[in-house]
């Protein structure tokens, strides 16, 4: 195995173990055993378990942010953008289950990135400008857009974790109900919400 190939192998193995056991529950010995290498190989490539974890987390955050950015890349009705963003996050949860489980776990002591709170902030920053534009059009204070962005992303991410474990509801229905609450509020909930305004090219 070449150096780059070995590095990718260790990242893949670490991703699975961190998702299953968390950072604290995963040992360097375990990673080495699964990769059939000695512990010094891991230290050579990443400096230790912390370095490997940081690489795994950074990749997952970037993958999620890219999917959110792609979903919001085309101008559209604000509700359609909200629907696409909700589905993009749920798509990531469905297709990158191990990655999502890593992101929602507590990050190791002393690490400022990789926590669920930092993930919410990173994703919220992608939708902030859309809300700010909408607030301006509706003569609302655009300075409050970051707060609403945090709330909206949290409304998808937290139910998304629940849905990942239960899967009793179709992904599209989860997105529709999240958008129902976010768009209509508790006082105006629809009894049978559905995704209505997604751009044809997106779905």
């Amino acid at each position: 195995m070449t150096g780059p190939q070995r590095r990718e192998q260790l990242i893949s193995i670490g991703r699975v173990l961190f998702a299953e056991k968390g950072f604290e529950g995963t040992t360097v010995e375990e990673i080495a055993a699964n990769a059939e290498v000695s512990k010094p190989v891991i230290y050579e490539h990443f400096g230790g378990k912390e370095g490997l974890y940081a690489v795994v987390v950074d990749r997952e955050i970037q993958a999620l942010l890219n999917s959110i950015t792609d979903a919001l890349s085309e101008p559209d009705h604000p509700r359609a953008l909200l629907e696409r963003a909700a589905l993009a996050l749920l798509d990531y949860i469905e297709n990158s289950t191990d990655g999502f489980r890593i992101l929602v776990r507590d990050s190791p002591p002393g690490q400022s990135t990789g926590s669920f709170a930092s993930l919410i902030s990173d994703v919220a920053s992608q939708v902030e400008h859309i809300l700010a534009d909408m607030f301006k059009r509706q003569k609302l204070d655009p300075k409050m857009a970051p707060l609403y962005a945090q709330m909206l992303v949290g409304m998808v991410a937290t139910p998304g974790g629940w849905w990942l474990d239960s899967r009793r509801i179709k992904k599209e229905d989860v997105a529709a109900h999240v958008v129902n609450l976010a768009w209509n509020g508790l006082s105006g909930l629809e009894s049978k919400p559905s995704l209505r305004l997604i751009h044809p090219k997106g779905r």
Side-chain angles (χ1 to χ4, degrees):
M1 222 180 251
T2 65
Q5 288 173 333
R6 178 67 71 190
R7 179 180 174 85
E8 290 303 314
Q9 180 208 28
L10 293 171
I11 291 171
S12 178
I13 290 171
R15 184 176 184 268
V16 172
L17 290 174
F18 289 138
E20 180 184 349
K21 301 186 175 185
F23 176 81
E24 295 295 342
T26 301
T27 65
V28 174
E29 288 81 2
E30 230 177 342
I31 298 168
N34 277 269
E36 299 182 343
V37 299
S38 61
K39 286 166 54 178
V41 173
I42 296 171
Y43 291 107
E44 176 187 346
H45 282 278
F46 303 101
K49 183 174 71 170
E50 292 81 0
L52 175 57
Y53 181 85
V55 171
V56 170
V57 167
D58 286 345
R59 284 194 177 190
E60 292 304 324
I61 289 178
Q62 195 56 55
L64 176 54
L65 292 180
N66 287 343
S67 67
I68 297 291
T69 301
D70 289 345
L72 301 177
S73 60
E74 295 184 21
D76 210 332
H77 187 279
R79 174 164 179 158
L81 293 174
L82 181 57
E83 291 180 354
R84 294 213 305 262
L87 270 177
L89 183 47
L90 291 171
D91 281 341
Y92 170 80
I93 293 172
E94 180 179 50
N95 299 324
S96 301
T97 300
D98 283 345
F100 181 74
R101 291 193 190 282
I102 291 169
L103 293 179
V104 298
R105 289 181 182 272
D106 291 334
S107 57
Q111 184 161 321
S112 59
T113 60
S115 68
F116 189 59
S118 68
L119 167 68
I120 295 296
S121 294
D122 288 340
V123 177
S125 67
Q126 302 295 308
V127 301
E128 206 173 284
H129 66 284
I130 295 172
L131 290 180
D133 291 342
M134 187 173 70
F135 277 31
K136 289 177 183 177
R137 289 196 299 272
Q138 297 185 8
K139 297 183 179 180
L140 301 172
D141 185 358
K143 293 179 182 177
M144 300 306 293
L147 172 62
Y148 279 83
Q150 293 277 342
M151 291 190 287
L152 285 172
V153 174
M155 283 175 64
V156 182
T158 303
W162 168 84
W163 171 73
L164 176 61
D165 292 326
S166 66
R167 300 291 179 100
R168 293 195 300 267
I169 304 174
K170 290 195 302 182
K171 175 178 60 181
E172 290 77 12
D173 289 340
V174 174
H177 282 278
V178 168
V179 172
N180 185 25
L181 177 59
W183 190 257
N184 298 312
L186 285 172
S187 62
L189 288 176
E190 302 165 359
S191 59
K192 295 182 179 180
S194 61
L195 300 178
R196 299 176 297 178
L197 300 174
I198 289 181
H199 194 282
K201 289 175 64 178
R203 289 279 152 182

